[in-house]
Amino acid sequence: MPHPAVVRLRELLPPPGSGGDAVDWEQIERATGLAFPADYREFVELYGGGEIDEYLSVSTPPVPGSPYGDLLDRGEPALSDRDREELCALLPGGVVPPLLPFADSASSDVAFWLRDGAPDGWRTAVFRRQTPHGASRWTVFDGGVAALCVAALTGEVHAFSERLSASGGHEFVSRRGM
């Protein structure tokens, strides 16, 4: 059964005609010890590597020929003390769980999974490179990859340095179409 956030994303962002990327999720879990959320697996299989509105690129596991297949190479980010403190202040208990970056914007923002608990319960956090003075550079979102994309595309959340148009007409450009 399709993930509800992926169903909604399909309504807002037509998948590419070239299809997504085939990934052996079980092999990745055996090799790395990492399991991934269901919505992300569906996203990769439906869309594959590419960009949303020429602004937001979502990383995939290694896929032959894909410049977006760097997900497993990214690892835990090095955060400044200030950035870690800002994120801690937004999280229950003030503890930052392991982070795994999964997307980047053209403005150099980075979206992370907050890897706490089972993968389907991972929340997301976006680190904005450009913010008004005094504003937090972090947005913590109670949802996964697909839900974050839906919220950004509909204007429900403004997690990135630039706002994606909430008026529709969104496009996913597949790595195959570039």
Side-chain angles (χ1 to χ4, degrees):
M1 176 165 204
H3 192 282
V6 176
V7 170
R8 178 67 178 121
L9 184 60
R10 284 183 77 143
E11 295 169 0
L12 298 168
L13 184 69
S18 59
D21 290 327
V23 174
D24 186 341
W25 298 104
E26 290 177 8
Q27 190 279 330
I28 288 173
E29 186 173 352
R30 281 191 306 273
T32 66
L34 276 174
F36 291 93
D39 73 315
Y40 174 72
R41 293 189 314 262
E42 284 183 45
F43 179 94
V44 170
E45 292 168 1
L46 185 62
Y47 293 92
E51 296 178 359
I52 298 171
D53 291 347
E54 296 182 343
Y55 182 72
L56 185 64
S57 61
V58 179
S59 295
T60 67
V63 175
S66 176
Y68 298 95
D70 65 348
L71 180 73
L72 300 177
D73 297 333
R74 300 187 72 176
E76 182 80 18
L79 300 178
S80 72
D81 289 343
R82 176 182 155 225
D83 294 333
R84 185 168 289 281
E85 287 171 13
E86 277 187 34
L87 181 56
C88 279
L90 299 172
L91 298 173
V95 176
V96 177
L99 302 174
L100 180 61
F102 65 83
D104 300 279
S105 77
S107 302
S108 298
D109 307 322
V110 182
F112 299 91
W113 278 298
L114 298 169
R115 296 185 310 132
D116 186 25
D120 286 337
W122 292 350
R123 297 164 52 199
T124 55
V126 177
F127 179 77
R128 285 179 288 190
R129 296 278 178 204
Q130 303 166 23
T131 57
H133 180 71
S136 176
R137 292 165 53 125
W138 289 96
T139 298
V140 174
F141 184 75
D142 289 325
V145 173
L148 176 64
C149 289
V150 167
L153 292 172
T154 60
E156 175 188 330
V157 89
H158 303 292
F160 300 98
S161 294
E162 295 179 31
R163 293 181 180 189
L164 297 168
S165 170
S167 62
H170 301 290
E171 180 182 23
F172 184 86
V173 178
S174 169
R175 68 178 174 91
R176 293 175 187 88
M178 297 179 149

